[in-house]
């Protein structure tokens, strides 16, 4: 693997690098909290500049307040290296800004020529002024990708004159993340289905979250190939451990990062040595990169580096490996969790997952799903009511639609409509903990209210922060694990995340979701009837007041 040291990646843009088949490596740059005395000498700025000056560094990727702690925004660091803008990936998360703020941020990036974006839902905020902040999560990663794709296509808005207008198209290179390091089927399979949804929505490249089982990395490639998407570039995420960081990952305090008990024991063993495990950890990172290259990943990505020279140490170690050493390393780096679920069968000859053999027990369980405590009488009743009343053009749909259309023409809702709304509020609160959002996703989420039961109100699939089937806040089960079990009982998991992204319309809050469904006001309306956004930038003086 000695050719790794001379890939010639410098001065090539990020998109070209992913298409080059040269297995380039990028490096993560983490922002900081507070104003530097000298911005030009700020640690993340200096780190970014030094990295971009190294010939072997393909690109840098700048995080957006990882772990939920407020930091300077990633584009602030990027602004100090404008000549390398094509080699910079900006992380964009949904935790701190609503859709208007995210769109404004995207326009600013476009205006400054930063086109490479990693679209993420983001970690739940953990600290802030005066206490723990409330996450925004107006959009999630899927709906954010949808927004960026719409901007690439030429965002349609309603101008000040009331006419549709198409804005200048952008050219974002949109990335997304996937977390294959999940212990249970009910967590992992929805992750893969959400990945397909992200790509269908507009994601053009994929990066994995963090784990230390190369077989799980391999499964991402196998799954996309099995779904007819072998061409999608995949970046393998490698984090340089220390004993302290390994302990943090092991305890689950950093969402989406997994260190098993077996690996933790090794980290403790080597971390107690004279060099605090540095040689072991650098070798582990290099071995992971070797396996990723051997498996055909488009690129590697290194996090956890504090000094630019550490990148050179890892690349130097990588260059010492023989061409086929990665096959030995693959077997060595398989630190799975106890009873961990794999989507594909294990191939004992290679140590990898078999590309043409899906997990037999999984396939059998699809034919004969066992009982789940989540398939309750209330859920069965909800499905029945939906089939009778809320399935378009079936059952009582036509009658209810005509009734609500007649009421909508009146200056004030008649007492019958107001009474039905009260019944709707009471019954849905008692059954689902309904928050009266007016744009109901109960049918999308197997009748588990995402606004009530998901910390990030995820309407388009699970985030990557769950651990052992529980929310990253560890205060409840992951909503999408429950959804998966319910739908599996009816043989509907394959379609659970199909269809266009769900984008919640806050204008409907505290109105009847029944009326909004029948009158095609909510996200359930046919796709072709979705109107362009009103262009709030052209409303004239007083628009904010």
């Amino acid at each position: 693997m000695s050719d790794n040291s001379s890939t010639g990646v410098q001065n090539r843009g990020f998109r070209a690098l992913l298409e080059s088949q040269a297995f380039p490596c990028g490096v993560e740059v983490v922002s900081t909290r507070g104003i530097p005395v000298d911005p030009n000498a700020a640690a993340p700025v200096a780190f970014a500049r030094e990295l971009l000056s190294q010939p072997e560094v393909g690109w840098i990727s700048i995080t957006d307040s990882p772990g939920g702690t407020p930091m300077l925004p990633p584009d602030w660091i990027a602004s100090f290296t404008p000549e390398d803008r094509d080699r910079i990936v900006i992380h964009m998360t949904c935790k701190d800004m609503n859709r208007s703020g995210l769109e404004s941020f995207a326009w600013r990036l476009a205006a400054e020529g930063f086109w490479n974006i990693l679209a993420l839902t983001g970690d739940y905020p953990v600290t802030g002024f005066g206490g723990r902040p409330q996450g925004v999560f107006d959009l999630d990663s899927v709906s954010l990708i949808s927004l960026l794709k719409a901007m690439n296509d030429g965002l349609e808005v309603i101008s000040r004159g009331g006419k549709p207008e198409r804005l200048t198209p952008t050219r974002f290179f949109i990335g997304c993340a996937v977390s294959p390091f999940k212990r249970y089927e009910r967590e992992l399979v929805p992750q893969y289905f959400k990945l397909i949804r992200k790509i269908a929505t507009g994601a053009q490249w994929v990066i994995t979250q963090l784990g230390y089982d190369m077989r799980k990395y391999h499964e991402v490639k196998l799954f996309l190939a099995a779904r007819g998407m072998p061409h999608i570039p995949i970046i393998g995420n490698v984090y340089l451990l220390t004993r302290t960081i390994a302990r943090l990952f092991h305890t689950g305090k950093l969402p989406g990062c997994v260190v098993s008990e077996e690996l933790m024991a090794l980290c403790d063993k080597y971390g107690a040595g004279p060099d605090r495990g540095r040689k072991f950890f650098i070798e582990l990172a290099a071995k992971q990169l070797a396996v990723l290259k051997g498996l055909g990943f488009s690129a590697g990505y290194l996090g956890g580096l504090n000094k630019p020279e550490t990148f050179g140490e890892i690349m130097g170690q990588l260059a010492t490996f023989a061409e086929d050493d990665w096959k030995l390393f693959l077997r060595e780096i398989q630190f799975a969790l106890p009873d961990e679920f794999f989507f594909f069968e294990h191939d004992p000859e290679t140590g990898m997952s078999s590309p043409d053999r899906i997990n037999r027990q999984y396939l059998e369980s699809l034919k004969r799903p066992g009982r789940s405590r989540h398939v309750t009488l209330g859920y069965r009743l909800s499905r029945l009511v939906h089939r009778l009343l809320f399935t378009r053009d079936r059952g009582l749909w036509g009658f209810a639609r005509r009734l609500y259309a007649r009421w909508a023409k009146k200056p004030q809702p008649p007492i019958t409509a107001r009474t039905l709304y009260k019944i709707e509020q009471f019954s849905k609160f008692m059954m689902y903990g309904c928050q009266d959002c007016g744009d109901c996703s109960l049918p999308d989420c197997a009748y588990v209210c995402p606004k009530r039961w998901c910390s990030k109100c995820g309407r388009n699939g699970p985030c990557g922060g769950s651990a052992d089937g529980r929310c990253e806040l560890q205060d409840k089960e992951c909503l999408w694990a429950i959804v998966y079990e319910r739908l599996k009982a009816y043989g509907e998991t394959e379609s659970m995340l199909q269809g266009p992204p769900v984008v919640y319309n806050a204008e409907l809050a505290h109105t009847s979701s029944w009326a909004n469904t029948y009158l095609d006001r909510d996200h359930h309306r046919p796709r072709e009837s979705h109107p362009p956004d009103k262009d709030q930038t052209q409303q004239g003086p007083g628009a904010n007041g």
Side-chain angles (χ1 to χ4, degrees):
M1 292 201 174
S2 58
D3 62 339
N4 259 306
S5 61
S6 58
T7 53
V9 297
Q10 198 174 28
N11 301 322
R12 299 178 68 178
F14 174 65
R15 188 193 296 243
L17 285 172
L18 290 192
E19 297 170 352
S20 68
Q21 299 182 343
F23 193 73
C25 287
V27 180
E28 179 177 87
V29 175
V30 181
S31 186
T32 186
R33 192 174 186 179
I35 303 175
V37 176
D38 180 2
N40 282 285
V45 173
F47 187 45
R49 283 174 166 167
E50 289 185 61
L51 287 170
L52 289 169
S53 70
Q54 293 193 20
E56 292 180 333
V57 175
W59 75 95
I60 63 171
S61 190
I62 309 177
T63 61
D64 180 12
S65 300
T69 301
M71 299 179 182
L72 285 165
D75 60 316
W76 178 80
I77 298 174
S79 68
F80 287 88
T81 56
E83 68 280 3
D84 289 306
R85 57 173 61 92
D86 286 344
R87 296 171 60 210
I88 296 174
V89 174
I90 301 293
H91 294 207
M92 185 181 291
T93 66
C94 304
K95 62 182 180 299
D96 300 322
M97 291 186 284
N98 66 12
R99 67 194 70 185
S100 295
L102 289 166
E103 185 184 331
S104 296
F105 183 27
W107 286 122
R108 185 169 77 241
L109 293 177
E112 295 172 350
F114 294 105
W115 298 113
N116 305 312
I117 292 182
L118 177 57
L120 303 163
T121 299
D123 299 330
Y124 199 92
V126 296
T127 186
F129 172 74
R132 184 173 195 164
Q134 180 175 333
V136 179
F137 302 112
D138 179 40
L139 299 182
D140 58 19
S141 56
V142 177
S143 45
L144 174 57
I145 291 168
S146 179
L147 166 63
L148 297 172
K149 176 64 164 58
M151 294 175 72
N152 278 353
D153 293 340
L155 189 65
E156 287 191 36
V157 299
I158 300 298
S159 68
R160 184 177 180 180
K163 296 181 179 180
E165 177 183 356
R166 187 180 295 274
L167 303 180
T168 303
T170 55
R171 47 189 180 91
F172 293 121
F173 189 40
I174 309 166
C176 68
V178 63
S179 182
F181 307 102
K182 298 300 179 186
R183 185 174 182 180
Y184 299 121
E185 175 191 334
R186 64 179 184 273
E187 287 181 286
L188 179 64
V189 178
Q191 278 287 324
Y192 287 159
F193 288 164
K194 186 179 182 182
L195 174 60
I196 299 299
R197 191 175 207 178
K198 289 175 180 177
I199 295 171
T201 300
Q204 298 156 283
W205 54 276
V206 177
I207 186 169
T208 64
Q209 286 196 313
L210 290 169
Y212 296 85
D213 187 338
M214 304 314 296
R215 188 179 158 202
K216 274 292 181 78
Y217 282 99
H218 185 215
E219 285 209 338
V220 178
K221 279 189 66 66
L222 294 183
F223 187 81
L224 288 182
R227 297 296 166 128
M229 300 178 179
H231 59 285
I232 300 294
I234 309 175
I235 301 172
N237 194 350
V238 175
Y239 198 93
L240 178 63
L241 289 174
T242 65
R243 189 182 188 183
T244 301
I245 292 296
R247 178 65 59 186
L248 185 68
F249 289 179
H250 179 61
T251 56
K253 292 182 179 179
L254 199 59
C257 305
V258 180
V259 166
S260 69
E261 191 71 40
E262 181 185 2
L263 177 56
M264 190 65 239
L266 287 175
C267 294
D268 282 334
K269 173 185 173 182
Y270 288 101
D275 68 344
R276 298 183 180 180
R278 181 172 179 78
K279 182 178 183 297
F280 168 75
F281 294 127
I282 284 180
E283 189 175 87
L284 176 62
K287 287 178 177 179
Q288 286 185 276
L289 290 176
V291 176
L292 291 170
K293 182 178 181 182
L295 291 174
F297 275 66
S298 300
Y301 175 69
L302 283 167
L305 277 59
N306 296 317
K307 298 178 181 179
E309 50 265 33
T310 306
F311 179 84
E313 289 183 66
I314 296 173
M315 292 296 106
Q317 180 69 62
L318 178 61
T320 67
F321 300 147
E323 186 173 349
D324 289 334
D325 280 353
W326 69 271
K327 297 177 182 179
L328 301 175
F329 302 153
L330 184 145
R331 293 178 180 272
E332 177 185 330
I333 309 172
Q334 293 193 7
F335 298 104
L337 297 170
D339 303 318
E340 187 163 355
F341 172 81
F342 288 82
F343 196 85
F344 294 89
E345 290 284 343
H346 183 250
D347 184 345
E349 290 188 12
T350 64
M352 296 185 286
S353 289
S354 176
D356 54 358
R357 291 167 55 202
I358 294 175
N359 187 312
R360 287 169 291 182
Q361 290 183 341
Y362 165 69
L363 292 176
E364 188 63 29
S365 72
L366 293 179
K367 299 175 183 177
R368 300 180 182 85
R371 293 184 179 181
S372 170
R373 59 188 173 86
H374 295 299
V375 182
T376 61
L377 178 61
Y379 176 55
R380 297 178 188 276
L381 178 62
S382 298
R383 291 178 62 95
L384 175 63
V385 171
H386 185 272
R387 188 162 62 249
L388 292 174
L389 289 174
F390 297 105
T391 302
R392 186 174 294 270
D393 300 327
R394 293 185 182 181
L396 297 175
W397 170 273
F399 170 75
R401 183 181 175 91
R402 290 190 296 272
L403 195 64
Y404 275 95
R406 187 183 312 146
W407 291 338
K409 295 177 182 178
K410 298 183 180 295
Q412 295 293 330
I415 188 170
T416 307
R418 296 198 300 272
T419 301
L420 279 176
Y421 181 34
K422 292 295 182 183
I423 294 172
E424 174 191 344
Q425 287 177 301
F426 177 78
S427 62
K428 288 171 66 177
F429 178 79
M430 294 301 294
M431 290 187 69
Y432 315 112
C434 174
Q435 303 294 291
D436 199 24
C437 73
D439 193 354
C440 186
S441 274
L442 284 172
D444 309 312
C445 302
Y447 296 93
V448 188
C449 175
K451 202 166 181 65
R452 171 64 180 85
W453 297 108
C454 179
S455 300
K456 300 176 183 178
C457 196
R459 296 176 182 237
N460 289 293
C463 74
S466 69
D468 294 343
R470 296 190 64 78
C471 171
E472 75 177 54
L473 300 185
Q474 290 297 305
D475 59 344
K476 54 188 170 293
E477 279 192 87
C478 173
L479 174 145
W480 284 96
I482 298 172
V483 171
Y484 178 79
E485 287 198 358
R486 285 185 165 183
L487 295 179
K488 186 176 180 180
Y490 286 86
E492 296 172 354
T493 54
E494 280 286 335
S495 60
M496 66 182 288
L497 292 177
Q498 291 180 355
V502 177
V503 182
Y504 169 62
N505 183 2
E507 187 178 4
L508 300 177
H510 308 301
T511 63
S512 169
S513 66
W514 292 354
N516 296 332
T517 293
Y518 288 125
L519 299 176
D520 289 338
R521 295 169 177 163
D522 63 10
H523 73 272
H524 296 290
R525 65 186 179 274
R527 190 68 173 175
E528 60 273 11
S529 67
H530 284 225
D533 294 331
K534 296 178 181 178
D535 186 355
Q536 298 299 327
T537 66
Q538 301 185 38
Q539 294 304 305
N544 294 324

